[in-house]
Amino acid sequence: MTSLAGWQRADGSAIDNPVPKWHRIDMKPVLEEPRKRITARVSDSVRDTLEQAAELLGATVNQFVVQTAYVEAQRVIERESVIRLSQKDARTILALLDNPPKPNKRLKDAVKIYKGMVRA
């Protein structure tokens, strides 16, 4: 394989065997940023499975674990940060924003309770 522009060792020489493309998804080569170590103790069977998967993708176990954890972390963050609505529910919300209903007794009581608990 040929070396990739921007992927170099600390001494400036090109990396002869860059990480396969699957490993570089959404990860930028940041050589200036200090790196921190993450360690994990796993059973032999888990280690064997990770080694097998990494080998199939042409990566080291460390590369495989880091990339897989990174992608999963992004998925979890998105899942917990984004509210997904059906088109029908989105239209209902937008209609309520455009034409909000008049406050009912329960809402007025809740506002009074809130104002009693919170000082401005």
Side-chain angles (χ1 to χ4, degrees), residues 18-30:
V19 177
K21 185 175 183 178
W22 70 270
H23 181 69
R24 292 189 307 271
I25 298 171
D26 292 334
M27 293 187 76
K28 297 172 180 64
V30 182

Side-chain angles (χ1 to χ4, degrees), residues 25-76:
I25 298 171
D26 292 334
M27 293 187 76
K28 297 172 180 64
V30 182
L31 300 176
E32 302 81 31
E33 188 175 316
R35 295 180 181 197
K36 297 191 177 174
R37 180 174 298 275
I38 297 175
T39 57
R41 296 189 186 279
V42 296
S43 67
D44 287 341
S45 63
V46 169
R47 174 74 188 199
D48 291 344
T49 302
L50 294 172
E51 286 175 349
Q52 182 180 6
E55 186 176 325
L56 288 169
L57 294 173
T60 67
V61 172
N62 189 59
Q63 291 166 338
F64 176 78
V65 169
V66 168
Q67 180 61 31
T68 304
Y70 182 73
V71 169
E72 180 64 11
Q74 289 179 317
R75 190 186 70 74
V76 168

Side-chain angles (χ1 to χ4, degrees), residues 9-20:
R9 291 187 181 90
D11 65 1
S13 63
I15 296 175
D16 296 327
N17 189 10
V19 177

